[in-house]
Structure formats: C-alpha cells, structure tokens
Amino acid sequence: MTTTRTQADVMDDVQVKRSWKLPIVYTLAALLLAFFSFTAKGEVTIRLNDKSQAFEIPDIVLGGAGILWVLLALVALVAVWSIVTTSMRAKSPRWVQTLAMLLAGIATTLAFLIYAGTGSSGVVTLTSTLVSTVAISTPLIFGALSGVVSEHVGVVNIAIEGDLLVGAFAGVMAASFFQTPYAGLVAAPLAGALLGSLLALFSVRYGVDQIIVGVVLNVLALGLTTFFYGTLMKVSPETLNTNRFSLASLKIPFLAEIPIIGPMLFNQTVLVYLMYATVVFLAVFLYRSRWGLRLRACGEHPKAADTV
C-alpha cells in the first residue's frame, strides 16, 4: 500500500545546513569580554551629553567591572543560543538572527570603550564617539553600496578604494579652489565615477580581467594623488589644500535633542543625510522595482537577461 507524502512531510526531512561561523564568533567575543571583566579594576566615567545639545546630562560614574559583567552575560546568552540552534539545525527567523548580531556587536563595541576608560582619569564620551563614528564611516558606506551594485550586475569591483581616494583628492582641491565645500561635494563623486568608468571600459568593453583592472586602478589612483599632492597641493596650500572649507553640521530640531542617538543621527553634515537616503533608495530599487530586477538578472542569470 503506497502513501502519498505531502510537501510538509518532505520539507521536514530536509535538514537545515549547519554553519558554525557565527557560534564561533560569538564564543570568541564572550571570551574576550570575560577577559575584560576579570582584569578591569576601578570606575569609569560615562558622558552622555554632547556639546550640541541644549540641555545637559550629568556624567555617570560606575564600576567598570560591573558593566562589563552585564555585557558579558548578554554576549554569552547570544553565544549559547547560537550554539544550541546550530547543533539542533533549528531555523530561526531572520529578524531574530539580526537582533542577535546587533546585540552581540553593540555589547562588544561598548565593552571595548568601557574597558579602555576603566581606572583612568579620562572620560568615555559615548555620544561624541558615536557622532564621530557615523561621520567617519559615511564614505565607507558609500563605497560598500557601490560594491553591492557592482556585485549584483556581475562585476568584481575591487577598485573602490581607488575611487574613494580620487574622490577625496578632487573634493579637497575643488572645495579649496572655489572656496565652498559644495564644490567638493560635486567634484568628489564625479572624479570617483570617472575612475570607475575605466573599470567598466576595460572589463566590459574589452573583456580584460576585472581583478587585474581593479588592482591597476588602485595603484594608479595612489600614484596620481601622491604625485599631484606633492606637485600641486603642497606648492599652493592656500588655494588647493586648505581645511577652512568643510561641510557644516545641519541640526534637525527636536530629533537632535534625543539623548545619545539624537546627535549621532540628526546632527550631521548633508553627506550623512544623503547616505541615509541612498541606503533607502537602493534597498527599494534593488529588490522592489523593475530596474532592480533587471539589474540583478544581469549578474545572477545573464542568459535569462539575454533572452529577455
């Protein structure tokens, strides 16, 4: 007597692929925090106030080891959860995995700051550190977004570092020459796009290996910027290499007054706000639009794109 199996029965027999990468990472992070917790001695002063805020938040003075033990417990909990779910081949929802990664990452980063400030006369300026982190990471986020687009269309773009270098160089020169930071804001992406077009020209048009072209462009960008820095910018620093023209912070009312996250997210330059918009734009257009479908098809299934 034969029995028909339902699709649910078949799916029950399919085992989830096990990967021990995240459990190992979480375990190593927990061991590192355990070392911090055992060796930390003294108190730490945490400053949540930022100079841009209208109201003042008093400094918090606590025992550094106590905070580190709490952070260790959080990371250890995530590590145990990851080990158990991986060993049982249990499939967790995507939002649970994302939450676990964020919790472990934030706790580990905060532990580094607490450990560095414990027992010292300095102050852990948490809010100011987060503000600087967002500002400094903005160019890297733009570079990562360009890498996402390149990978989706099937191009291995390792010349992103060269694009950033050329863009930064052109931005400084344009802002100094025209005496306005917005000239640099226009010149920087144009210079980076010009270098990126060389990658497209040689790899797509002429079929040159993308890795080789990317390495050559990185070396070319480093050589050109070093040469012109020594021959142009150093010779005329007042007109081509001055730091008097930089983007000013644009403070969003009310939102910038939120403790910790307010100055970090809502008291930044226009470049950071453009980064927010670009992330949302690409997330929508890559996965929720016809343009994004065609773009991804070119890289993931070029034969299907050719057929269409």
Side-chain angles (χ1 to χ4, degrees):
M1 182 177 180
T2 60
T3 58
T4 58
R5 304 185 66 192
T6 63
Q7 185 178 2
D9 296 332
V10 177
M11 293 301 296
D12 290 338
D13 293 340
V14 178
Q15 292 183 336
V16 178
K17 183 180 179 181
R18 271 193 303 200
S19 177
W20 291 97
K21 294 180 181 179
L22 285 179
I24 292 174
V25 172
Y26 294 148
T27 303
L28 292 177
L31 293 176
L32 180 63
L33 266 64
F35 170 77
F36 289 166
S37 302
F38 280 109
T39 57
K41 296 180 181 179
E43 294 182 335
V44 59
T45 303
I46 303 175
R47 179 166 298 168
L48 303 179
N49 191 57
D50 188 72
K51 58 183 180 180
S52 64
Q53 292 179 296
F55 60 90
E56 186 172 348
I57 303 175
D59 295 343
I60 301 175
V61 181
L62 296 171
I67 302 177
L68 290 172
W69 279 111
V70 174
L71 297 176
L72 170 61
L74 292 176
V75 177
L77 183 63
V78 173
V80 171
W81 166 82
S82 182
I83 293 173
V84 171
T85 54
T86 303
S87 60
M88 296 177 61
R89 297 182 184 270
K91 189 175 182 180
S92 303
R94 180 64 61 87
W95 68 270
V96 176
Q97 300 176 17
T98 304
L99 181 62
M101 294 178 64
L102 288 175
L103 184 63
I106 293 174
T108 304
T109 305
L110 186 59
F112 272 100
L113 296 175
I114 298 300
Y115 181 74
T118 300
S120 64
S121 57
V123 179
V124 178
T125 55
L126 183 60
T127 303
S128 299
T129 302
L130 294 175
V131 171
S132 302
T133 301
V134 173
I136 294 173
S137 63
T138 298
L140 302 180
I141 295 175
F142 278 115
L145 293 177
S146 69
V148 169
V149 176
S150 299
E151 289 295 328
H152 277 306
V153 298
V155 176
V156 181
N157 186 7
I158 64 171
I160 298 175
E161 182 182 357
D163 298 338
L164 292 175
L165 189 59
V166 171
F169 181 83
V172 171
M173 289 191 65
S176 301
F177 182 78
F178 293 101
Q179 298 185 359
T180 173
Y182 297 100
L185 193 62
V186 175
L190 291 178
L194 180 62
L195 187 67
S197 64
L198 295 178
L199 175 66
L201 176 65
F202 286 103
S203 61
V204 179
R205 176 75 174 177
Y206 297 107
V208 183
D209 187 88
Q210 300 169 4
I211 303 296
I212 296 176
V213 176
V215 173
V216 171
L217 290 179
N218 281 334
V219 176
L220 176 65
L222 180 61
L224 286 178
T225 52
T226 304
F227 173 76
F228 286 118
Y229 174 74
T231 56
L232 291 179
M233 300 181 74
K234 274 192 173 182
V235 174
S236 182
E238 292 298 324
T239 57
L240 294 177
N241 188 22
T242 177
N243 58 0
R244 292 185 292 112
F245 306 104
S246 58
L247 293 171
S249 298
L250 300 177
K251 186 176 181 179
I252 299 179
F254 303 109
L255 295 178
E257 300 299 334
I258 301 175
I260 302 178
I261 65 173
M264 178 181 68
L265 299 178
F266 306 113
N267 188 23
Q268 297 284 356
T269 64
V270 65
L271 198 62
V272 178
Y273 299 134
L274 286 176
M275 180 266 293
Y276 297 159
T278 305
V279 170
V280 176
F281 172 83
L282 280 181
V284 173
F285 276 78
L286 277 177
Y287 304 104
R288 293 293 186 271
S289 70
R290 182 179 300 177
W291 172 79
L293 178 61
R294 292 174 177 175
L295 186 144
R296 288 183 286 118
C298 292
E300 298 174 5
H301 207 313
K303 290 185 178 180
D306 290 340
T307 303
V308 173

